Amino acid sequence: MTISEKLHAIGRPLLQAQLEHPTVAGIGRGDLAEPVFRSWLEQDYLFLLDYVRVFARLAWQAPDGHLGDLVDLAHTTYHDELSLHRSMSAGFGADLDGAVKGPACAAYTAFLLESAGSYGEGLAALYPCMWGYSSLGRILAQNPPDEPRYRAWVDTYADPGFEALTVRIARMIDEAAPDRERAEALFAEGMAHELAFWDVP
């Protein structure tokens, strides 16, 4: 079993906990209360700004074969994911520029930025976000919500292009070959942060 395959095995029950979370379930049904999604949107916008910084920090350490991937991931996150948040912000009355990190966002970004000090470990720590959202998108797309704004969210993370980026990160983790126990612990910690993040302020 490769490192990434073991991470998937660890992550599946934790992913199920996310699917059952009221915020995710509400998005999936299309009936999540707007103030909840507005708060999530603001927090995730702040998270993604630091997620780009995590990719940049890892790119500085990356072997030549991984450098382009990390630059591409930083670019995609900054231009595509953040653009989604900006486009959705008006419809939910979100104040992206005035938002302040809540405890879950602050704890998660601090964890990621610290973990990115080590290349292989940093990849394992950031993988829960990529793998989790790709998996959530794919599962929710099997019965997508009718509400168009939530449908747009699901479609973004169910996109095959996003899944391809996730697969590439898995390969990069295997190629970087971090200590298995450390990678598993960081991945599990990242998944715990992912779950906590849905408890929006």
Side-chain angles (χ1 to χ4, degrees):
M1 182 180 288
T2 65
I3 295 175
S4 63
E5 287 171 342
K6 182 60 182 294
L7 299 185
H8 295 162
I10 293 169
R12 287 187 189 99
L14 303 172
L15 179 68
Q16 184 60 38
Q18 289 190 58
L19 283 165
E20 295 170 0
H21 191 283
T23 301
V24 178
I27 292 171
R29 292 189 307 267
D31 62 3
L32 181 66
E34 289 195 10
V36 176
F37 192 78
R38 177 169 63 246
S39 182
W40 176 87
L41 198 61
E42 293 171 349
Q43 292 300 300
D44 202 53
Y45 182 82
L46 297 174
F47 170 84
L48 288 173
L49 290 173
D50 277 343
Y51 205 49
V52 173
R53 293 182 175 97
V54 170
F55 284 132
R57 189 176 189 194
L58 292 174
W60 182 78
Q61 306 170 65
D64 291 348
H66 292 181
L67 179 59
D69 294 290
L70 287 161
V71 171
D72 288 346
L73 284 161
H75 183 277
T76 297
T77 302
Y78 189 81
H79 290 285
D80 295 347
E81 274 198 86
L82 285 172
S83 291
L84 170 71
H85 288 56
R86 294 187 192 101
S87 68
M88 297 186 79
S89 63
F92 286 94
D95 180 10
L96 301 183
D97 293 330
V100 176
K101 286 181 183 178
C105 183
Y108 196 2
T109 55
F111 160 73
L112 288 173
L113 289 164
E114 181 179 356
S115 298
S118 171
Y119 182 67
E121 292 182 3
L123 290 174
L126 70 80
Y127 189 53
C129 184
M130 296 286 296
W131 179 76
Y133 275 69
S134 177
S135 299
L136 290 175
R138 186 175 64 255
I139 293 168
L140 295 177
Q142 295 171 8
N143 185 25
D146 292 328
E147 209 284 345
R149 296 172 299 175
Y150 293 130
R151 174 66 181 262
W153 187 95
V154 170
D155 288 346
T156 294
Y157 295 108
D159 187 274
F162 190 79
E163 183 178 10
L165 293 174
T166 302
V167 169
R168 179 54 184 149
I169 285 287
R171 291 176 183 159
M172 290 165 65
I173 292 170
D174 293 334
E175 291 165 7
D179 177 81
R180 280 181 173 259
E181 288 189 7
R182 182 65 177 152
E184 291 168 15
L186 287 166
F187 178 82
E189 187 171 352
M191 288 296 290
H193 280 293
E194 283 289 314
L195 182 59
F197 201 90
W198 293 113
D199 292 326
V200 291

